[in-house]
Amino acid sequence: MAKKVTTKKAPAKKAPAKAAPKIAPKAAAKVRFKNSGHDIATRTIHVGGEPDPVTGAIMPPIYQTSTYVQSAPGVHKGYEYTRSHNPTRTRLEECLASLEQAKHCVVTASGLSAEMLLMHYLPAGSNIICGDDVYGGTYRLFTTIFQDMHNFKFIDTTNAKAVEKAVKEFKPAMIWLETPTNPLLKITDIVAVSEIAKKAKALVVVDNTFMSPYFQNPLVLGADFVLHSMTKYLNGHSDAVGGCIMMNDDEARKKLFTLHNSIGPCHSPFDSWLVLRGLKTLAVRMEAHAKNAMIIAEYLENHPKVERVVYPGLKSHPQYEIAEKQMLGFGGMITFFLKGDIKKSNKFLSTVKLFALAESLGGVESLIEHPAIMTHASVPKKVRESIGLTDNLIRLSVGIEHVQDLIEDLEEAFKAV
Ligand SMILES: *Cc1c(COP(=O)(O)O)cnc(C)c1O
């Protein structure tokens, strides 16, 4: 039987409705949804979702075009070339900025290309402190592509004292956080690290992919940049790749836009449209992911064949209190350690049927994976073991199927090992 779910704090209630400002109908669409105090569930649907002004189409057109006709040389409607700007992408950027309560958003071709832009944002030779348990691709990007350009120091950012000490010694220009981390779901206190960073004039970047803006807003907690792989929860349907960076600083936006335009990792209009469509259900999806994940985490925690479960919503999580404080929900990712070795892990992973054995996460369908062999194979074994990423560690991306079906699927796999 499914246990009663103890989902925590409801997402912030929308502010009491203000009297509608009297404005001309044409301008209404924009003003109505910008800074309107609407709940995030409303903003996912309406910001950037204004009807097409030409036809009234309720869904945004896919501007599948590379260029735009000018009426005289240099005279255009704000769009010249799709690498620089595209109206479908503009809508997506407006929506995403609003979801993270940010002023600006730059959408990119993938999460990793967004990370690349932030690496080029810093002058060559910069010092960067990075969490020691980040996404495998991030680790690879920093240690094999940018290691000649910048100096990286990987530390356990969950320990604010260690961060303070490292900041004093290393004098970083940037602190790179992922919270919760992938796959160990370690949680860093964003407020505490941002305060340390501010004093040392270091920029804070938070990779917020695991939480989505629905459960965590790092800019509000003091970060300078928020980054997402849109491939995961933002799009939510495992059918597009993309990335984005949100920020409040105008100069930073200008510089990132120039980098984006000059380097060129641009998101295709069709993929921007897909993410806009996926975003409309972000609120219901995240609620469902979190509800299912909480039930499954409790099921796993009580299972005799499980050594340990890591889920931010469990009281046993080492940083449960920070999670409670800075997150509005606990998300859909669970990590657990099977009792046994790599053979048993392999058996488990090849027995599940509903949970698809695949990399990636954040889609409506449940996925299961083995980080040591799959997503984190690019992290050397010695490094993996030093941070606790062992061979019996299994990661679940809990989807929004009926939770009882998911539990029965896991139970069958437990019987097989
Ligand atoms: C997937 C992922 C990335 C990379 O994003 P892509 O869209 O695959 O390039 C970065 N960070 C985290 C936490 C991720 O899960």
Side-chain angles (χ1 to χ4, degrees):
M1 255 309 284
K3 286 207 194 69
K4 206 174 135 257
V5 202
T6 45
T7 25
K8 49 170 307 295
K9 285 176 236 165
K13 283 266 164 10
K14 69 172 189 182
K18 299 177 202 95
K22 287 204 176 63
I23 37 177
K26 249 190 173 170
K30 283 234 143 173
V31 178
R32 190 153 55 102
F33 296 120
K34 271 211 166 160
N35 311 316
S36 61
H38 284 119
D39 185 86
I40 187 168
T42 308
R43 285 181 275 135
T44 55
I45 296 166
H46 292 289
V47 180
E50 298 81 10
D52 172 36
V54 178
T55 62
I58 194 154
M59 284 300 132
I62 306 169
Y63 286 91
Q64 195 69 41
T65 187
S66 59
T67 190
Y68 307 83
V69 177
Q70 309 195 358
S71 56
V75 182
H76 53 75
K77 298 178 163 66
Y79 293 94
E80 295 161 275
Y81 189 60
T82 278
R83 174 167 24 78
S84 326
H85 297 286
N86 179 280
T88 313
R89 196 159 75 227
T90 303
R91 281 173 175 263
L92 177 59
E93 288 174 337
E94 279 177 22
C95 183
L96 289 168
S98 154
L99 301 188
E100 278 292 8
Q101 307 195 43
K103 224 166 137 185
H104 308 292
C105 172
V106 174
V107 156
T108 60
S110 65
L112 282 177
S113 59
E115 298 186 15
M116 168 192 70
L117 293 186
L118 283 169
M119 288 299 103
H120 286 297
Y121 182 85
L122 297 175
S126 293
N127 290 349
I128 300 169
I129 286 180
C130 180
D132 62 1
D133 176 42
V134 286
Y135 174 68
T138 304
Y139 184 83
R140 180 178 54 204
L141 183 73
F142 292 175
T143 56
T144 68
I145 308 296
F146 283 102
Q147 100 278 17
D148 292 336
M149 184 171 171
H150 299 311
N151 311 304
F152 294 91
K153 191 181 184 74
F154 294 88
I155 64 163
D156 180 1
T157 53
T158 62
N159 181 344
K161 285 248 150 45
V163 175
E164 201 158 15
K165 185 162 171 274
V167 165
K168 264 199 195 112
E169 288 167 8
F170 195 59
K171 304 205 175 11
M174 182 179 273
I175 302 178
W176 189 284
L177 303 176
E178 209 179 289
T179 178
T181 60
N182 178 2
L184 293 166
L185 303 172
K186 294 200 290 191
I187 291 167
T188 293
D189 188 331
I190 300 173
V191 172
V193 171
S194 299
E195 277 169 7
I196 295 167
K198 289 264 135 57
K199 279 187 218 145
K201 298 204 164 48
L203 296 166
V204 173
V205 179
V206 176
D207 182 337
N208 201 26
T209 302
F210 270 33
M211 281 296 103
S212 90
Y214 189 71
F215 283 144
Q216 182 169 271
N217 297 124
L219 294 180
V220 177
L221 301 171
D224 300 284
F225 295 101
V226 177
L227 177 139
H228 287 269
S229 165
M230 301 196 299
T231 318
K232 317 295 168 52
Y233 288 108
L234 289 177
N235 180 51
H237 294 73
S238 308
D239 52 11
V241 172
C244 60
I245 306 166
M246 289 83 144
M247 75 231 82
N248 286 320
D249 189 73
D250 298 340
E251 286 305 308
R253 191 260 164 200
K254 222 160 111 187
K255 189 163 172 188
L256 278 175
F257 174 78
T258 303
L259 283 166
H260 174 271
N261 196 33
S262 308
I263 300 173
C266 70
H267 204 225
S268 81
F270 180 60
D271 283 356
S272 289
W273 181 84
L274 278 174
V275 180
L276 269 170
R277 184 166 108 141
L279 276 177
K280 289 180 191 295
T281 54
L282 183 72
V284 285
R285 282 190 285 109
M286 293 315 294
E287 289 289 347
H289 283 296
K291 189 173 157 206
N292 278 357
M294 189 71 207
I295 295 169
I296 290 176
E298 286 180 343
Y299 156 78
L300 290 171
E301 196 162 52
N302 292 316
H303 203 287
K305 290 187 178 171
V306 172
E307 190 180 288
R308 187 160 69 90
V309 185
V310 189
Y311 180 65
L314 292 175
K315 295 225 164 62
S316 58
H317 189 289
Q319 293 98 29
Y320 175 76
E321 272 160 32
I322 302 171
E324 271 262 296
K325 196 179 70 173
Q326 73 185 13
M327 290 146 58
L328 290 158
F330 300 118
M333 300 301 297
I334 301 175
T335 288
F336 70 97
F337 298 83
L338 203 62
K339 277 185 188 157
D341 52 8
I342 194 147
K343 270 204 202 116
K344 286 204 170 161
S345 302
N346 264 326
K347 182 78 187 159
F348 190 92
L349 290 154
S350 26
T351 310
V352 282
K353 290 193 180 70
L354 265 181
F355 278 88
L357 180 59
E359 299 193 3
S360 196
L361 60 110
V364 290
E365 64 288 315
S366 292
L367 301 181
I368 190 165
E369 74 117 356
H370 192 273
I373 301 174
M374 298 164 71
T375 47
H376 290 63
S378 54
V379 180
K381 191 173 166 69
K382 245 179 79 184
V383 178
R384 285 204 308 263
E385 283 176 353
S386 73
I387 58 170
L389 208 164
T390 50
D391 286 348
N392 61 339
L393 185 159
I394 292 173
R395 189 187 81 177
L396 302 179
S397 169
V398 178
I400 63 171
E401 299 95 337
H402 196 290
V403 71
Q404 207 54 43
D405 291 328
L406 295 176
I407 287 179
E408 277 164 27
D409 195 36
L410 294 172
E411 192 55 39
E412 284 306 308
F414 277 122
K415 278 186 199 143
V417 297

